[in-house]
Amino acid sequence: MSGYIAVGQGSCGIAAGAANVYAALSEKLADRADIALKTVGCIGMCWLEPIVDLYDNDCLTARLVHVSPADADRIVTAAESGDLSGIADLVITAEDSAFLAKQTRIALRNCGIIDPTSLESARAAGGYSALAKILTGEGMTPEQVIECIKVSGLAGRGGAGFPTWFKWNAARQAPGDEKYLICNADEGDPGAFMDRAVIESDPHTLIEGMLIAAYAIGAREAIVYVRAEYPLAIKRLTRAIGQAREAGLIGDNIMGSGFSCDFRIKAGAGAFVCGEETALIESLQGSRGMPRLKPPFPAQAGYWYKPSNINNVETFANVAWIISNGGAAFAAMGTPDSKGTKVFALTGKVRRSGLVEIPMGMTLRDVIFGIGGGIRGGGSFKAVQMGGPSGGCISASLLDTVIDYKALGATGAIMGSGGMVVMDDSTCMVSMAKFFLDFTAKESCGKCVHCRIGTKRMQEILTRIVAGEGVPEDIGLLEELCLAVRDGALCGLGQTAPNPVLTTLRYFRGEFEAHTDPEHRRCPAHACQALLTYSVDAEKCRGCTLCAKKCPVGAISGTVKQPHAIDKDRCIRCGQCYAACRFGAVIKD
Amino acid sequence: MQKGCDLTRLDPVLAEYAGVPGSLITVLQHTQELYGYLPHEAICYIAQKTGTTPAKVMGVATFYTQFRFQPVGKYHIMLCDGTACHVNGSAGIAQAVCQHLGIEPGGTTEDGLFTLSIVACLGCCSLSPVMTVNEDAYGSLTPARAVEILDGLRAKEVQA
């Protein structure tokens, strides 16, 4: 059997131990010429990492999951004989395989399949053929490229969902020879990691998409603004840019067409607001990343006040496919309002978490239950958070909402960059709202009073509600502040900062009311420490004394083999007795 | 610690970016790589050499979470508190790590070995809760496992 073994080495895979698996396999294969060992990126089945794929003549014969370095010997034996019986326990189950089978991959088409460190590998998968289609032979004019993107219906995948062709056209039409193309890879939404996966797994697709966009708008310089928290992505992209430059795909007179474009990477320094395009431009210019007043839009006055176009990584990752296959093929997928596919980062309390790319128009239920396998650990579905700090929490009653920009917007959440964090009944929604306000209050750049002070006041109110000091009037006050911040902020960060509060108030108002009930404040999810009461069920208690020994404040009394009791005034609600009891006799309420 | 920091180490960086407009953040990133943090003297030096004021440089540096103004420990723990990690119990990990090391988030242990930072999202959401220690990431943490990892690192130091 001649073939190769591929080890998935994205950041997630490496964190799960893939580098050690690679090292072990490398040692076993050191003096073997018949079986090659390759690095591939992230296939997006993160819950199964580390993942090893066996290929025979470029055909996947087996996908092995949860592999450890100790398995190296039998993997090599199976690879050389083609007999998988010795590694049957490692082979992915049919149920888990369905995670991929139910997806349609365009932006992620090469992720986890090609070697992200090799230009040849990218080219073998069709890399740079769309660029060649535009620049060589009959070619395409910039206007034809923009028209093709217009037909495709591609919209910005970073969150706002603005039509891509419109931005390209505006930058193309803007007067001036000095124009810039910028890629926003400052993936700041907590819970979203598709851009990292694309850069780590298929950097040449990003470069190709950017070159096509640069050609369309007439830019001679392209800049990728990457989060500093993504060192592996920066390393692989730097390498890919070097390879492309050496191959004449970046630089002067690309493919002999007369089109020239140079590339560089700029590492961000950690500021959520820099996901906003004008703030990103300020940061690129070496300043504090504070948003500018629009208009003028970046297409007219962007980087150094020259016409500039900014798109997100996932948007660019679709471009080469659209040029190769035609705009109509992309537009054939999706809903009348939203075309093509979208990548989601499915995480939280879901059984199968990872990257999911699906055509628009599937329902949330299809994704969370059909692909994600439902709730992990026996709890029941409570909500899904979409769109990060600018988005909202969608309740179980809306699980049949279809995924498109309009339908998701109607729920009060947003498509956003595609973070999909699933929550079960152990998650307190008031505490969740507080979590997001902690984030936005910290990340507010301070330019607008409503955002700077409004988010702070909202955070304070939510903090006191969670601490058991809330009053019923707090709910009305929160609502008033939400509207004021939304209307009084200049940029997207401020305007959308109230969304997590507005949506939790809309779908989980009862939880806010329970937390602030003057008669009996309580947390229905039993998550807010200050609102819990612990007691002992005398019938279940065996008097083993373990809880009394664990209690750090001596609040539990009782003698051996007699039911114990908790002094509620002394109890600090640390929960150690609850965790320690082996008979389920400590009750949390 | 700040007194006596060798500012000449900054000269090659400043020379490289002297003609590049808008490169202040990149210069600060290189500075932090050199010293492990941004010493006050270095901020003044950069301002002087680039023809701006220390206030301007400080304004930019304090805007971004990447920049530090105090030295960090040998092991820099970044504990993720992104949404997925939060839902999967990062608060419990933070509590256990703080208690075990006897420091608050942002603090450094007395022996200079560990610094703990709570960060927004490391982008490894599927392995939540996650922390990184220097370059290495650890996923699917429990409070006990986090403490075990730190003890392992400390034991390695004692042996060395």
Side-chain angles (χ1 to χ4, degrees), chain B residues 2 6 17 19 21 37 46 50 92 119 128:
Chain B
Q2 290 183 356
D6 178 9
Y17 293 97
Y37 70 108
I46 292 166
T50 56
V119 299
S128 56

Side-chain angles (χ1 to χ4, degrees), chain B residues 100-119:
Chain B
H100 188 68
L101 296 178
I103 52 175
E104 292 292 306
T108 302
T109 52
E110 270 178 28
D111 57 6
L113 214 48
F114 295 103
T115 296
L116 173 68
S117 304
I118 310 274
V119 299

Side-chain angles (χ1 to χ4, degrees), chain A residues 346-347 349-350 364-365 367-369 374-376 378-386 393-400 420-427 429 508:
Chain A
L346 185 60
T347 60
K349 300 278 189 185
V350 69
L364 290 171
R365 188 187 301 279
V367 175
I368 296 164
F369 288 86
I375 301 298
R376 164 165 60 85
S380 60
F381 176 87
K382 181 170 187 177
V384 57
Q385 209 284 338
M386 289 195 64
C393 292
I394 302 174
S395 65
S397 62
L398 295 170
L399 267 174
D400 292 310
M420 215 186 245
V421 185
V422 176
M423 297 162 194
D424 68 4
D425 45 13
S426 68
T427 308
M429 302 315 285
F508 302 95

Side-chain angles (χ1 to χ4, degrees), chain A residues 140-275:
Chain A
M140 285 169 82
T141 63
E143 288 75 15
Q144 284 172 323
V145 171
I146 292 172
E147 180 60 26
C148 179
I149 298 298
K150 185 178 180 180
V151 170
S152 77
L154 178 64
R157 297 296 192 240
F162 199 75
T164 304
W165 78 272
F166 192 91
K167 284 170 74 167
W168 289 16
N169 195 46
R172 164 123 210 114
Q173 301 294 332
D177 318 325
E178 196 185 336
K179 296 181 184 178
Y180 292 95
L181 182 80
I182 299 163
C183 173
N184 181 352
D186 191 43
E187 188 167 51
D189 270 3
F193 54 93
M194 59 286 290
D195 293 349
R196 172 180 67 68
V198 168
I199 303 174
E200 285 177 1
S201 309
D202 189 12
H204 285 289
T205 283
L206 172 63
I207 296 172
E208 187 180 10
M210 288 181 68
L211 284 167
I212 293 168
Y215 172 77
I217 70 166
R220 294 170 56 89
E221 189 172 354
I223 307 162
V224 189
Y225 185 92
V226 194
R227 279 186 91 189
E229 288 90 337
Y230 287 175
L232 184 65
I234 293 177
K235 192 171 137 193
R236 291 200 176 148
L237 186 60
T238 305
R239 186 171 176 160
I241 289 172
Q243 290 165 341
R245 186 172 283 128
E246 216 163 273
L249 297 163
I250 285 177
D252 289 333
N253 194 20
I254 297 168
M255 296 183 179
S257 64
F259 165 61
S260 302
C261 185
D262 206 2
F263 258 73
R264 65 189 163 93
I265 294 176
K266 177 90 179 176
F272 176 68
V273 69
C274 289

Side-chain angles (χ1 to χ4, degrees), chain A residues 59 76 115 137 148 208 289 347 358 364 367 380 451 494 521 533 570:
Chain A
C59 198
V76 172
D115 178 352
C148 179
E208 187 180 10
T347 60
I358 44 135
L364 290 171
V367 175
S380 60
C451 175
R521 294 189 181 104
T533 50
R570 283 169 82 179

Side-chain angles (χ1 to χ4, degrees), chain A residues 12 15 46 190-191 193 196 227-228 266-270 283-289 304 347-349 353-354 376 432 435-436 439, chain B residues 21-26 29 59-60 62-67 81-84 86-88 120-127 137 139:
Chain A
C12 297
C46 310
F193 54 93
R196 172 180 67 68
R227 279 186 91 189
K266 177 90 179 176
S283 181
L284 274 180
Q285 294 181 191
S287 306
R288 292 164 68 94
W304 299 119
T347 60
K349 300 278 189 185
S353 77
R376 164 165 60 85
M432 221 45 233
F435 168 78
F436 283 111
F439 183 85
Chain B
S23 53
L24 178 57
I25 293 170
T26 313
Q29 285 168 332
V60 171
T62 52
F63 189 83
Y64 296 97
T65 52
Q66 186 188 17
F67 297 119
D81 192 30
T83 320
H86 187 78
V87 170
N88 282 326
C121 185
L122 294 166
C124 288
C125 315
S126 295
L127 300 169

